[in-house]
Amino acid sequence: CRPMIRADFKLDLNDLVDLRDKKIRRAIRIGINRAAKPVRAQVKAEAERIALQGFTAKSIGTKQKVYASGLVVVVVVGPKRSYKRVKGKYSRGKRKGERKVFRPASVAHFVEKGTARSQPEPFLRPALDKTSGKYQESLAAEIRAEIEKGNQG
């Protein structure tokens, strides 16, 4: 499974003594989460204009993983896989009377890239283009602030 939109940001944290320390990894996680808030807000704003059952913008969230080495951190901003909502019931066919369950994460890539029958309605790429500069600037500042806060306390 390939990601819809990918953005790699490299941040040099060589001045930190031990990246394997739990406190440092925790500070990195908190700093990354704070830096990703404007990106998530912009993705939600872009997704608001998509009339896809009205659930796409509500499903936007962030997920992050700091690997054991502490050298690789992955942050994903997009529709949450766990988000699902019921809207209406089937009126025909073998599923007649059953509730319609809608999962925005299942169709978001079709909306973003388009299909043979539908035009693309990108919401991730424009949000990334608008916020990537701010994200890179705030990422280092937030991580360093959180590490300093942890060293004081």
Side-chain angles (χ1 to χ4, degrees), residues 1 15 36 40 43-44 48 50 104 124 139 142 145:
C1 173
D15 58 337
R40 183 177 63 222
V43 171
K44 280 188 177 194
E48 286 288 336
I50 299 172
L124 291 172
L139 181 61
E142 291 289 348

Side-chain angles (χ1 to χ4, degrees), residues 39-92:
V39 178
R40 183 177 63 222
Q42 186 64 41
V43 171
K44 280 188 177 194
E46 293 287 334
E48 286 288 336
R49 50 184 188 81
I50 299 172
L52 191 63
Q53 302 286 337
F55 296 131
T56 306
K58 294 176 186 172
S59 71
I60 302 297
T62 57
K63 183 177 182 179
Q64 59 180 283
K65 172 77 174 156
V66 178
Y67 287 94
S69 67
L71 300 175
V72 177
V73 179
V74 178
V75 179
V76 178
V77 178
K80 293 182 258 182
R81 297 287 310 160
S82 62
Y83 187 91
K84 65 180 179 178
R85 291 295 181 263
V86 175
K87 189 162 189 174
K89 291 185 177 184
Y90 290 99
S91 59
R92 300 180 177 176

